[in-house]
């Protein structure tokens, strides 16, 4: 009861501070203050602190199951385990936005601490732009999705949390993803500030680079965690489905990856200034578009858990005001750039980074169009269509071949000007050897044999080149490991999709089936009552040709609040294979539908993404 | 013999060793392939392949029956589109009325090009 | 001048996107199938639940002016509530009501009909759900009203309501 009051008023306080900061930052900016004074500093801290208080009081309301709070009532239940009471705080719309706000205020606070070497005016402006975003989110929370609404009369019991969200991954996936999303907001404000101050140069690039890398790192890890979660929880054994919500997280990632590379050109050569600014603006815009698409429920998705069109209108207006603001600023403060033609040579590192950008923008456009096209078509022609995996695979995978090749060649080029005369024939030879190897691997599997062997070959080629670079310590470590990770990523996905096998059948207790040299036996079944669900655990035994026995325990959970049935897969992971089994209750029968899959190199997909992000964190830690 | 020629010959050798492979085309593989491209209508976000709902299970059986009757993949899509509408397929065909989505994608690359280049 | 046009077109572009998203927000995000009109029901052959005889759907439909095909199952809760309405309809009119028993066990289906009454003139079985899919059904319960040419006059997704029933009576008389 009292915590709801505290939470609400500290949220209000945070908003007021935001208004004061907006005024102060522009006031001092005009006054040509030499230093950021202590006032601003403490205000920023207080703002962060008030959001922290507000967040903690919401967590507290969840912990004590205070159902006088509408958010708690809608998303919690007294029998829910303590861990999920806490994580459930951000497992809903209001709470997740409060978390978003928390990260926003944290980032600007840290930004001001770590940007002491930068010009004061630029720092004032960064605060100003960031406060526009922050106050927008404050308003959004207070007006449309207040987490501290009272309910009267006080209900005895809550409605419970969606069982799919009752998973340990809820504790880390959203916060880390938000660090990535929100991290892009600081890039947005900083780049607008430096645009207005006309201070886009090598030093600025060097300073903003770290923030880009941090945001990129968290976004990568956040997407990875989401993907792993979907893999074991949603019960289909897939890890990426080109679902709108997944696409929406990939769009800012692609933008940020492009920016990651472009900012290096700016740092080293003082080129591509306006392009860097555009990418910075676009990255945050795509994060916001993501929020809009997910939160408004405009799209059909398996991951959408809460939506409300009214909120959609607010985000939409807010989003387009930010876009409008940045476009206007971009036109007023145009960047004077030295003409690129004079400074760019066809064969150089700059060009290869530009090529990277082209690919990123192409992938981004495909995903953007594929995701939003159904909305456009429905509004214009009232027809409903679905755009799914086949569309994305068709438009993205062929371009991956070229992308991989450029990725292998690019980093070895010199800045400013290089020559193709340095090309070693052994490199070309290696490429064909790679294609040949991959041809022999995929020979018996697919119908598009030539295409897949070339794709696999290109990935292998990148793999060998990066290993070679690593051994000779030719390029910087972080870049090599990220590119190596990417090649491993493509190879693992390729092998995974080619050699996955699946078996689905209806089985009774005690039944035994043979599938591709493997014996699957349904041994036991038992049911256990847990805190807030009843669990039916089956025991399967899988005997392979070498008589190795694997025991698997898939589970069906019948939750009481809300009354929902979920299937929990059991996965046995080894270096080469994942054995994945999931069961479903068939209606009106005592038979279970059993789905058993072997998924090769699953673990390598996760490892490779970790390697990619390790590259990112190494660049952050690297001293200049 | 100069080095480049030597390499080119080796490459030619490799290309020639590519033979047309025999493709094991069994029905369950086809069922998987087709059902991955169909949206499970009652579960919104999932594909028929991924879903374990009654609708999806029956749908898979129907696809199998149709394949055994000798229907092609395209005929099956057409059959289902007739019954359930365009919404069921994940890879809609784009006729002239609905703009060409490939064209739009290519236009977008142009739009996104780094400024001044 | 050229630059102004460029800026203007960008602004227009974003306004356009804004408008589309704004209108899109109001659209329902669940899929509602379109009315099927002037389509014929696909012919099918199935076994009768009680007599175990094989029937061709065409023969059943042709012999009556109108036929209502109702997809049901003993495990589906809405079917249970719908059943009273179907019983009512079968008592009031002499409409030919044909049941299609979706993915059910024979014993359960017979028990269900014993308990709640049997409104169906014939009860065909669909053990693996393939027939229902080939008819274009979404799930249970679902009903099709057909004329003697197998043409679909009306399709009802979900349980029939009393309003639907009066509509059916109006059409068939």
């Amino acid at each position: 009861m009292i915590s709801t009051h505290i939470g609400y008023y500290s949220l209000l306080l945070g908003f007021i501070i935001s208004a004061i900061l907006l005024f102060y930052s522009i006031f001092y900016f005009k006054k040509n203050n030499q230093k950021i004074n202590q006032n601003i500093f403490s205000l920023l801290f207080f703002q962060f602190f008030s959001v922290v208080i507000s967040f903690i009081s919401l967590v507290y309301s969840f912990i004590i199951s205070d159902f006088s709070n509408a958010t708690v009532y809608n998303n919690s239940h007294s029998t829910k385990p303590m861990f999920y009471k806490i994580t459930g705080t951000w497992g809903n719309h209001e709470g997740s936005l409060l978390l978003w706000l928390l990260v926003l205020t944290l980032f600007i606070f840290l930004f001001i601490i770590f940007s002491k070497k930068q010009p004061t005016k630029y720092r004032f402006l960064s605060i100003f732009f960031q406060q526009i975003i922050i106050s927008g989110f404050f308003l959004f929370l207070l007006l449309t999705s207040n987490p501290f609404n009272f309910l009267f009369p006080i209900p005895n019991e809550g409605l419970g949390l969606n069982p799919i969200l009752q998973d340990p991954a809820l504790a880390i996936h959203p916060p880390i993803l938000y660090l990535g999303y929100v991290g892009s907001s600081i890039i947005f404000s900083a780049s607008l500030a430096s645009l207005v101050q006309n201070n886009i140069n090598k030093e600025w690039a060097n300073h903003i680079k770290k923030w880009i890398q941090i945001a990129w790192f968290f976004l990568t890890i956040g997407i990875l965690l989401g993907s792993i979660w979907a893999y074991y929880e949603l019960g289909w054994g897939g890890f990426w489905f080109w679902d709108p919500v997944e696409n929406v997280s990939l769009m800012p990632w692609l933008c940020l990856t492009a920016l990651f590379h472009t900012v290096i050109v700016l740092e080293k050569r003082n080129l591509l200034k306006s392009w860097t600014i555009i990418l910075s603006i676009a990255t945050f815009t795509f994060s916001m578009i993501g929020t809009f698409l997910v939160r408004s429920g405009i799209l059909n998705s398996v991951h959408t858990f809460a939506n409300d069109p009214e909120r959609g209108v607010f985000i939409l207006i807010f989003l387009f005001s930010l876009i409008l603001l940045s476009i206007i600023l971009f036109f007023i403060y145009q960047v004077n750039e030295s003409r690129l033609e004079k400074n760019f040579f066809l064969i150089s590192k700059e060009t290869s980074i530009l090529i990277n950008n082209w690919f990123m923008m192409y992938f981004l456009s495909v995903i953007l169009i594929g995701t939003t096209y159904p909305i456009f078509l429905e509004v214009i022609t009232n027809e409903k269509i679905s755009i799914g995996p086949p569309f994305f695979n068709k438009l993205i995978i062929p371009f991956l071949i070229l992308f991989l090749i450029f990725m292998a060649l690019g980093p070895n080029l010199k800045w400013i000007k290089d020559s193709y005369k340095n090309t070693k024939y052994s490199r070309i030879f290696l490429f064909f050897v790679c294609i040949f190897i991959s041809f022999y691997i995929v020979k018996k599997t697919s119908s598009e044999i030539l295409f897949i062997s070339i794709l696999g070959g290109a990935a292998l080629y990148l793999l060998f080149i990066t290993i070679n670079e690593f051994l000779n310590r030719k390029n910087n470590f972080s870049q090599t490991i990220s590119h190596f990770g990417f090649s491993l990523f493509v190879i693992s996905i390729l092998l995974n999709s080619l050699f996955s096998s699946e078996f689905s059948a209806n089985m009774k207790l005690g039944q035994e089936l043979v599938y591709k040299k493997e014996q699957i036996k349904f041994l036991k079944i038992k049911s256990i009552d847990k805190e807030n669900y009843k669990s039916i655990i089956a025991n399967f035994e899988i005997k392979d040709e070498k008589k190795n026995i694997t025991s698997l325990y898939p589970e069906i959970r019948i939750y009481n609040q809300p009354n929902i049935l979920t299937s929990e897969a059991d996965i046995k992971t080894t270096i080469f294979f994942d054995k994945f089994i999931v069961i479903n209750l068939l209606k009106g029968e005592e038979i279970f539908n059993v789905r058993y899959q072997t998924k090769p190199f699953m673990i390598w997909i996760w490892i490779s993404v970790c390697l990619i992000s390790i590259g990112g964190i190494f660049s952050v830690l690297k001293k200049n | 013999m100069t080095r480049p020629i030597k390499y080119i010959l080796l490459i030619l050798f490799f290309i020639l060793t590519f033979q047309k492979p025999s493709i094991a085309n069994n029905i369950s593989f086809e069922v998987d392939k087709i059902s991955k491209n169909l949206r499970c209508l009652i579960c919104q976000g999932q594909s028929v392949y991924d879903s374990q709902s009654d609708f999806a299970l029956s749908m898979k059986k129907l696809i199998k029956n149709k394949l055994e009757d000798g229907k092609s993949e395209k005929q099956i899509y057409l059959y289902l589109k007739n019954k359930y509408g365009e919404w069921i397929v994940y890879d809609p065909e784009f006729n002239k009325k609905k703009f060409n989505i490939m064209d739009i994608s290519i236009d977008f690359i142009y739009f996104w090009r780094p400024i001044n280049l | 001048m050229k630059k102004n046009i460029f800026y203007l077109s960008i602004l227009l572009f974003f306004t356009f996107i804004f408008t589309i998203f704004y209108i899109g927000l109001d659209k329902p995000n669940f899929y509602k199938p379109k009315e099927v009109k002037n389509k014929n029901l696909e012919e099918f052959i199935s076994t009768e639940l009680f007599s175990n005889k094989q029937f061709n759907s065409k023969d059943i439909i042709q012999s009556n002016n109108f036929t209502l095909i109702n997809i049901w199952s003993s495990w589906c809760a809405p079917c249970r509530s719908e059943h009273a309405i179907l019983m009512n309809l079968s008592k009031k009119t002499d409409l030919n009501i044909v049941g299609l028993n979706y993915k059910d066990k024979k014993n359960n289906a017979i028990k269900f009909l014993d308990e709640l009454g049997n409104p169906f003139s014939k009860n065909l079985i669909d053990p693996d759900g393939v027939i229902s899919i080939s008819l274009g059904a979404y799930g249970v319960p679902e009903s099709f009203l057909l004329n003697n040419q197998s043409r679909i006059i009306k399709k009802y997704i979900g349980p029939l309501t009393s309003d639907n029933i009066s509509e059916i009576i109006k059409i068939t008389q």
Side-chain angles (χ1 to χ4, degrees), chain A residues 234 236 241 274-275 278 282 286 300 302 337 339-341 354 358 361-362 364-365 368-369 373 377 383-391 394-395 425-426 429 432-433 435-436 439 443 449-450 453 502 584 586-587 593 595, chain B residues 3-4 7 10-11 14-15 17-19 21-23 29 32 36-37 39 43-47 49-52 54 57 60 86-92 94 97-99 101-102 104-105 108-109 112-117:
Chain A
L234 290 177
W236 64 50
F241 189 66
S274 44
W275 181 234
I278 289 176
F286 279 115
N300 274 287
V302 278
E337 205 154 11
R339 296 293 295 169
L340 286 178
E341 292 86 359
L354 261 190
W358 277 65
M361 289 306 113
Y362 171 72
L364 179 69
S365 314
L368 181 65
I369 290 166
Y373 186 75
L377 194 71
E383 246 174 302
K384 245 181 181 297
I385 58 156
S386 313
I387 292 182
F391 170 81
K394 224 178 348 194
L395 283 174
Y425 290 108
S426 59
F429 180 63
F432 282 93
V433 171
I435 290 179
F436 201 64
F439 171 71
K443 206 162 70 172
I449 189 99
L450 190 69
S453 23
E502 186 195 317
N584 274 77
L586 286 185
K587 281 173 199 132
N593 182 278
R595 199 167 183 184
Chain B
R3 269 159 60 92
Y7 282 122
L10 269 169
I11 288 160
F14 283 146
I15 290 169
T17 46
F18 276 95
Q19 326 101 331
S22 61
I23 306 150
F29 174 76
D32 285 357
K36 271 177 193 168
N37 290 351
R39 183 191 280 268
C43 11
Q44 298 291 339
Q46 279 180 319
S47 73
Y49 172 80
D50 293 320
S51 171
Q52 294 292 329
D54 280 307
L57 293 174
K60 278 179 225 173
E86 197 78 48
W87 179 244
I88 196 165
V89 286
Y90 270 125
D91 194 13
F94 294 97
K97 202 180 98 201
K98 291 181 202 156
F99 331 106
I101 200 158
M102 295 277 214
I104 303 178
S105 305
F108 250 77
I109 315 181
W112 274 111
R113 77 204 190 281
I115 298 264
N116 285 347
L117 195 78

Side-chain angles (χ1 to χ4, degrees), chain C residues 42-67:
Chain C
E42 196 170 290
E43 209 177 314
F44 61 90
I45 296 165
S46 172
T47 320
E48 221 274 337
L49 179 71
F50 293 101
S51 63
N52 271 331
K53 272 188 209 151
Q54 289 244 325
F55 284 97
N56 187 322
S57 63
K58 213 174 171 185
D59 299 337
I60 302 171
I61 292 160
Q62 261 174 354
S63 55
N64 292 284
N65 273 339
F66 291 99
T67 305

Side-chain angles (χ1 to χ4, degrees), chain A residues 390-410:
Chain A
F391 170 81
F392 295 105
N393 291 343
K394 224 178 348 194
L395 283 174
I396 286 180
I397 294 175
F399 286 87
L400 267 182
I401 297 176
L402 275 175
F403 182 61
L404 284 162
I405 295 170
F406 277 116
M407 212 166 158
L409 300 178

Side-chain angles (χ1 to χ4, degrees), chain A residues 7-20:
Chain A
Y8 181 70
Y9 287 111
S10 58
L11 201 62
L12 217 56
L13 182 70
F15 176 63
I16 294 165
I17 296 174
S18 191
I20 297 170

